[in-house]
């Protein structure tokens, strides 16, 4: 289990060679949104409050992993994108899903209800730093502090999709 708090310090970009152009990775937030976004780690750091999350999760190949992550809440970033909830539908937010895809093709699914303050209120982060090191070159990482297993920690995010789950078809 982990807890969230503001980061203990400002994280600065380090390690970039003076003669090499900086690597800037961006990712798209799309789907049923009023304002789709394309963001970088620098955008995440500049535009939203940063949280600090010390986490422990089990890794099938390397055992328990202890790390700290800094970054904004996924919910805050998605709120700016404006999910297209239908106000006429009761509990419409609870039928929305999120898919997060990483640079290695790994992906996961979350429900809007997990991150919504009126439902699960999970403090899921879009990390801008890992163990105090900026993720500008590597790309943002999805961090689910409450997960015991690290399978939903998605590295080098390339895309986040937001939209409703289709209604099941009757047979």
């Amino acid at each position: 289990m982990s807890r969230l708090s503001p980061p203990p310090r400002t994280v600065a970009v380090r390690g970039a060679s003076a003669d090499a152009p900086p690597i800037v990775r961006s990712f798209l937030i799309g789907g049923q949104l009023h304002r789709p976004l394309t963001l970088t780690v620098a955008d995440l750091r500049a535009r939203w409050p940063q949280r600090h999350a010390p986490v422990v999760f089990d890794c099938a190949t390397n055992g328990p992993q202890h790390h700290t992550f800094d970054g904004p809440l996924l919910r805050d970033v998605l709120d700016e994108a404006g999910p297209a909830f239908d106000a006429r539908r009761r509990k419409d937010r609870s039928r929305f899903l999120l898919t997060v895809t990483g640079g290695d093709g790994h992906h996961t699914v979350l429900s809007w209800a997990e991150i919504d303050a009126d439902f699960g209120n999970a403090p899921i982060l879009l990390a801008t730093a890992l163990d105090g090191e900026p993720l500008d070159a590597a790309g943002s990482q999805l961090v689910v502090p409450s997960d015991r297993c690290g399978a939903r920690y998605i590295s080098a995010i390339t895309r986040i999709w937001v939209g409703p789950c289709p209604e099941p078809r009757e047979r």
Side-chain angles (χ1 to χ4, degrees):
M1 185 73 64
S2 61
R3 65 182 200 284
L4 292 177
S5 60
R9 59 186 155 56
T10 301
V11 178
V13 177
R14 294 187 294 253
S17 169
D19 52 342
I23 297 171
V24 178
R25 289 186 183 259
S26 63
F27 64 95
L28 173 68
I29 300 178
Q32 292 197 7
L33 303 168
H34 295 294
R35 294 170 300 282
L37 301 170
T38 300
L39 299 169
T40 64
V41 170
D43 294 330
L44 292 173
R45 192 178 298 112
R47 292 169 60 178
W48 291 276
Q50 303 292 289
R51 303 286 194 266
H52 182 72
V55 300
V56 178
F57 59 87
D58 289 324
C59 176
T61 56
N62 298 322
Q65 301 293 302
H66 300 264
H67 295 288
T68 60
F69 293 93
D70 298 312
L73 292 173
L74 173 62
R75 168 183 61 238
D76 291 347
V77 175
L78 294 179
D79 279 345
E80 185 170 313
F85 302 129
D86 184 348
R88 297 168 297 169
R89 290 185 71 147
R90 187 171 181 262
K91 302 179 188 173
D92 196 46
R93 294 175 296 164
S94 66
R95 53 180 207 109
F96 269 61
L97 300 175
L98 320 169
T99 61
V100 182
T101 304
D104 61 358
H106 187 77
H107 60 276
T108 195
V109 176
L110 303 161
S111 72
W112 184 268
E114 284 182 82
I115 65 171
D116 192 297
D118 291 334
F119 296 98
N121 201 25
I124 297 172
L125 299 181
L126 293 174
T128 59
L130 164 62
D131 296 330
E133 293 296 320
L135 291 172
D136 295 75
S140 184
Q141 182 169 338
L142 182 73
V143 177
V144 187
S146 59
D147 282 4
R148 265 188 12 171
C149 168
R152 293 198 299 175
Y153 284 56
I154 305 297
S155 298
I157 295 171
T158 58
R159 181 173 173 82
I160 299 174
W161 176 87
V162 180
C165 177
E167 292 185 31
R169 295 181 185 180
E170 292 190 34
R171 292 184 178 212

